[in-house]
Amino acid sequence: MPSQFSIFAVCTSLITGVCKFSFVAITMTSVDENEMYMVRQAQSLRKTDPSSAKAWILTAKTLYPNAFNVQYEAYLLERDAKNSEMAAQYFSLIATNFTNQHAELWQEVNALTSALRNETENTPEQEFYVKMYKHLTPEVQHSIFVHTISNCGDNLQQCIHSYILMFNKFPKTAVTQAPRLLEMLAEGMKADPDVYQRMLVEEVLPLIQNKPPELNPVLACRLYTNSLEYYLRQIMDDEKCDTTEAWKNIFKVLMLCGQMMGWEPFLPFSKQVNQNVYWDKLVKILRGSPAGSSQVLFYATTLFIYSLHGYIRKLRIEDAEVSHVLVEGFIEWTPEGGEVQSMDWTPEGAEVQSMEPPKFSATTAISQELSEAFLHAARCWQLLNTEQFQRNFSQLMLALPLAPWISRFLFDLAIYFGHRDEANKLMADMTTQSTLVQSLQILSLNLMQGSMTLQGFQCILKILAELPATSGQLLENISLKSHRHMIFLPLTKIALIQYCTRAITSRLSRMLFEPNCSDRLLGDLLALLQLNPDKDILLKQHIFNLITQRKSFNLHILSNYIIATDIIEELAYIWNTQQQDDVNFELTGSPTGSGASGGANTPAAAAAAQPRRIGTRGADKGARDEFKSLIRQQIARCNEHVPTLVANFITQEHLTLVQHIFGMAPPVETIVIK
């Protein structure tokens, strides 16, 4: 029979300064039951009578000093009393001696580690755990993290957080434990890349950057790719992102991964460093590396993306709503040997090929920066698409969120090298953009091919129908002599009108030497050439020479569209010097008497509303007075906004212009302005 015994427990509590003693006789049949009885008594009194509960536990500790339940209840009493120092003593005891058997202990460990992760935003309860942790010995602190990591099971996030806490509290452990943590992060990224990329970049890498561990090259490259993806998403998606700081961090991670793999160090990031310096360093490393070197691949890829980002960002002027588009430049008209040199056109449908690439013309203050960023990106792109790097580089590009940037860059690259067919294919793959930009790019492709098509002219009409509100100014250097060149065209009202006008005048100027060049063509060219009076002087002189050589010339658009003083003065000079019977120089003025008021619909009223023709043949004093009046009327309009006037001329007279360019007017619906 089991022996019976009596246990006398003395419960002491102080209530209003009076000591009370209780004598309780307990008869039990086993040690475990006795132990649990006392623990339950303490538990029942913990909230209402802590002193009595503590008396039960003191008795239990005397009888069962190695019992987990007793030690744990003693810890809970001190915890609830907010006695961090005594709680730390009990916690150390149970954490050291009872590491694997009890779920209650792990609940407290999780609460402790959770409080340590959020020290700056803790609740009062969590504040207690932080204070208690400080009373634990370093050995116990470290063992808590080790045992937590060992018992995380499938809870990957908890395990990683425990590693991070351990590295923060015990930095030396990172040297040996970091590879395992990095492997776990790489594994987690397969399921939830956003969460684990953030943990890698913001929490783990800063802890190991001073003493990076040796790492498997495949894993190191994978971690760098994920870090790069994380920062690129910030740059692309967050308008408030400090891009300079982001690129500084990208270069830091690149250097860190390079250290892990024993690479020759690259250059740290600095916005003040010219990209040529980075390129020269890359070339130096390339010369000393084996073919297909991962070191060169990742250094060159980083430099390519940096240049690409600079190019795409600069296409939009900082702090302004003005974008730029890369387009074909024009070759300046120069009469030489009786031949028109208005464009260095290639046969229609041919690819534009040259022994050397085209130059960039400086059209705006940012043109130089744009061209440099583009050329640096192009140089890296060409290196990375050589046989030794192409396969791995293509895989990297698929892993990174660069599709919008890459499609725009490749389209511009195709235009730059004159690969028109490739550019047409790439345009279909480009991400959604404004119809204005698309129309401008199609027009540029038309100009590249050697002869503007009806599609190109339709694009001009679409562009003029969607002109932006930003006015801008006339550009220099959109036309150069003798060689093909590219320009970055700002999407401003005046610049777009200038480009469209130049596209038409370049096409029409080639017709000046065709037989039977019409009077209307000469007049329309004069209307278009008003946009930039200081340019195309030779072309205007050539037109005036053609006019003076004719026995008859009719200029029917004067009163509506010709207001430039230099052109009006030259026309006045021609009219005054052509007072001969065999020559008739005829201008058309506005209807006299403002007959546009909509009076009676009679033959007399209709006749009065007709434009007045003023010719030199048989001109009397009345005709000369009318001519002077017409000239004064046009000069009085010289302060009108010429770009708007020229844009209106193109849109209102588009059927006539199409007839000039294509020889016949197409159906109206094919060139309607929308």
Side-chain angles (χ1 to χ4, degrees):
M1 292 180 62
S3 60
Q4 294 186 349
F5 57 91
S6 298
I7 299 175
F8 297 93
V10 179
C11 301
T12 306
S13 62
L14 299 176
I15 302 177
T16 65
V18 179
C19 296
K20 296 195 305 180
F21 299 92
S22 300
F23 181 82
V24 181
I26 307 172
T27 302
M28 294 294 174
T29 59
S30 72
V31 172
D32 287 343
E33 289 181 357
N34 292 330
E35 170 197 331
M36 290 309 300
Y37 177 81
M38 287 184 280
V39 169
R40 284 194 293 271
Q41 290 298 315
Q43 288 173 343
S44 66
L45 295 168
R46 190 197 313 156
K47 301 295 184 182
T48 58
D49 191 354
S51 298
S52 297
K54 186 175 290 189
W56 278 104
I57 289 302
L58 287 173
T59 304
K61 284 175 62 180
T62 302
L63 298 173
Y64 308 105
N66 298 322
F68 170 80
N69 291 320
V70 173
Q71 301 294 346
Y72 184 70
E73 187 63 27
Y75 159 73
L76 293 179
L77 281 167
E78 300 299 339
R79 184 199 69 180
D80 290 353
K82 305 300 181 185
N83 188 344
S84 58
E85 187 172 358
M86 285 301 298
Q89 292 181 18
Y90 286 118
F91 190 86
S92 296
L93 181 64
I94 58 179
T96 303
N97 298 322
F98 306 100
T99 54
N100 299 317
Q101 301 97 329
H102 303 281
E104 303 97 314
L105 173 62
W106 290 112
Q107 290 177 0
E108 290 300 300
V109 170
N110 289 337
L112 172 62
T113 54
S114 176
L116 293 175
R117 283 199 301 270
N118 304 291
E119 288 189 46
T120 58
E121 300 177 358
N122 276 336
T123 63
E125 180 183 354
Q126 291 174 320
E127 286 286 351
F128 167 79
Y129 285 109
V130 174
K131 290 178 181 178
M132 185 184 76
Y133 174 83
K134 293 176 181 178
H135 290 295
L136 300 174
T137 64
E139 293 77 14
V140 173
Q141 291 174 348
H142 183 256
S143 67
I144 288 172
F145 294 125
V146 172
H147 289 304
T148 301
I149 292 168
S150 301
N151 288 274
C152 283
D154 295 331
N155 194 333
L156 193 59
Q157 280 201 40
Q158 183 186 17
C159 191
I160 291 172
H161 283 309
S162 298
Y163 266 118
I164 293 171
L165 273 174
M166 184 171 70
F167 291 173
N168 272 309
K169 304 298 182 180
F170 301 94
K172 291 182 180 179
T173 60
V175 177
T176 56
Q177 299 296 320
R180 174 58 186 148
L181 171 59
L182 294 171
E183 288 175 1
M184 296 172 73
L185 284 166
E187 189 66 26
M189 288 175 199
K190 296 177 181 177
D192 194 342
D194 292 342
V195 170
Y196 290 96
Q197 283 177 2
R198 185 197 59 76
M199 293 171 66
L200 169 68
V201 169
E202 295 184 6
E203 300 185 62
V204 176
L205 294 183
L207 297 175
I208 64 174
Q209 62 183 358
N210 293 328
K211 288 187 177 181
E214 292 185 6
L215 209 62
N216 179 293
V218 175
L219 178 59
C221 291
R222 184 176 170 189
L223 292 173
Y224 174 65
T225 303
N226 280 281
S227 302
L228 182 59
E229 180 182 356
Y230 173 79
Y231 283 116
L232 287 176
R233 290 194 186 281
Q234 281 192 340
I235 291 171
M236 299 180 78
D237 299 337
D238 187 358
E239 294 182 357
K240 297 180 180 179
C241 174
D242 183 344
T243 57
T244 299
E245 191 64 27
W247 276 109
K248 189 181 295 184
N249 290 331
I250 288 172
F251 272 67
K252 281 182 181 178
V253 177
L254 179 64
M255 301 281 278
L256 177 62
C257 291
Q259 284 180 271
M260 292 179 184
M261 293 181 282
W263 289 350
E264 179 180 343
F266 200 54
L267 298 174
F269 175 79
S270 174
K271 199 173 181 180
Q272 283 68 44
V273 174
N274 188 288
Q275 292 190 40
N276 286 325
V277 177
Y278 290 119
W279 175 256
D280 292 341
K281 178 66 174 178
L282 178 63
V283 171
K284 180 183 176 183
I285 294 173
L286 175 64
R287 288 170 179 164
S289 303
S293 163
S294 295
Q295 178 180 205
V296 177
L297 171 68
F298 280 89
Y299 285 169
T301 299
T302 304
L303 193 54
F304 164 69
I305 298 172
Y306 174 54
S307 302
L308 177 63
H309 171 240
Y311 175 64
I312 296 297
R313 180 171 54 86
K314 288 181 175 68
L315 284 174
R316 176 176 291 278
I317 298 176
E318 295 179 4
D319 302 323
E321 291 298 318
V322 177
S323 296
H324 286 68
V325 178
L326 182 64
V327 293
E328 192 80 9
F330 301 96
I331 295 180
E332 195 169 293
W333 187 92
T334 304
E336 184 178 315
E339 294 184 5
V340 176
Q341 304 290 333
S342 59
M343 276 285 185
D344 186 16
W345 300 106
T346 57
E348 188 169 350
E351 292 281 300
V352 179
Q353 300 288 352
S354 174
M355 294 300 293
E356 59 182 55
K359 302 183 184 301
F360 286 93
S361 297
T363 52
T364 63
I366 204 171
S367 293
Q368 183 68 24
E369 295 179 40
L370 270 168
S371 59
E372 287 179 358
F374 175 80
L375 291 173
H376 283 300
R379 192 158 51 180
C380 293
W381 178 266
Q382 288 177 304
L383 169 63
L384 290 164
N385 279 277
T386 55
E387 185 177 356
Q388 58 179 323
F389 298 116
Q390 187 175 34
R391 180 181 176 184
N392 290 330
F393 176 63
S394 298
Q395 292 175 345
L396 272 175
M397 289 299 97
L398 291 174
L400 296 172
L402 293 171
W405 291 359
I406 292 290
S407 61
R408 177 68 178 269
F409 170 73
L410 290 182
F411 178 83
D412 288 351
L413 195 66
I415 290 179
Y416 175 72
F417 284 116
H419 300 156
R420 184 173 55 84
D421 291 342
E422 183 180 347
N424 278 319
K425 293 176 183 176
L426 288 167
M427 180 172 283
D429 299 331
M430 290 176 68
T431 54
T432 304
Q433 57 183 339
S434 71
T435 55
L436 176 64
V437 172
Q438 190 175 50
S439 297
L440 187 58
Q441 289 172 332
I442 294 172
L443 174 59
S444 178
L445 286 173
N446 253 254
L447 298 177
M448 184 196 299
Q449 75 181 9
S451 181
M452 184 168 62
T453 64
L454 179 60
Q455 182 192 32
F457 192 85
Q458 287 175 313
C459 288
I460 289 176
L461 297 178
K462 290 177 182 178
I463 292 168
L464 295 180
E466 296 184 62
L467 290 173
T470 305
S471 180
Q473 59 188 8
L474 290 172
L475 306 179
E476 297 291 333
N477 303 320
I478 70 167
S479 296
L480 295 181
K481 294 181 180 179
S482 72
H483 60 76
R484 180 174 176 253
H485 65 112
M486 309 298 294
I487 59 176
F488 287 104
L489 190 72
L491 297 185
T492 59
K493 180 177 181 179
I494 292 179
L496 289 168
I497 294 172
Q498 182 182 9
Y499 191 77
C500 292
T501 302
R502 174 58 62 177
I504 296 173
T505 56
S506 296
R507 183 67 178 87
L508 294 181
S509 65
R510 291 189 293 156
M511 300 178 176
L512 293 177
F513 289 84
E514 294 180 0
N516 302 319
C517 174
S518 68
D519 292 351
R520 181 61 191 264
L521 173 63
L522 299 179
D524 289 350
L525 268 171
L526 288 176
L528 294 168
L529 294 174
Q530 294 179 106
L531 187 61
N532 200 342
D534 297 330
K535 300 294 183 181
D536 301 306
I537 295 174
L538 290 176
L539 182 56
K540 283 186 280 190
Q541 288 178 352
H542 187 71
I543 293 172
F544 290 131
N545 288 337
L546 289 176
I547 292 173
T548 56
Q549 292 170 10
R550 300 192 171 191
K551 295 293 184 182
S552 175
F553 178 77
N554 297 312
L555 183 60
H556 299 305
I557 63 169
L558 175 65
S559 62
N560 289 330
Y561 300 114
I562 305 292
I563 64 171
T565 54
D566 62 327
I567 295 177
I568 292 173
E569 288 173 356
E570 188 65 29
L571 291 173
Y573 173 78
I574 295 173
W575 196 89
N576 287 321
T577 58
Q578 298 296 320
Q579 303 291 330
Q580 304 171 22
D581 290 339
D582 58 340
V583 175
N584 185 35
F585 181 64
E586 189 175 271
L587 306 175
T588 302
S590 300
T592 58
S594 282
S597 60
N601 187 15
T602 64
Q610 292 298 316
R612 170 71 170 162
R613 293 185 176 183
I614 308 169
T616 58
R617 180 177 296 166
D620 55 14
K621 184 178 183 302
R624 287 192 292 271
D625 289 342
E626 284 192 54
F627 173 75
K628 291 177 183 178
S629 175
L630 175 60
I631 294 301
R632 284 194 296 269
Q633 169 189 303
Q634 298 308 111
I635 291 178
R637 297 175 57 197
C638 66
N639 290 325
E640 290 183 14
H641 193 249
V642 176
T644 301
L645 176 75
V646 173
N648 289 339
F649 168 75
I650 295 172
T651 55
Q652 292 168 12
E653 304 295 332
H654 63 273
L655 289 176
T656 302
L657 293 173
V658 166
Q659 193 166 14
H660 291 324
I661 297 171
F662 304 108
M664 59 179 294
V668 175
E669 61 270 14
T670 65
I671 55 173
V672 66
I673 303 172
K674 296 182 178 179

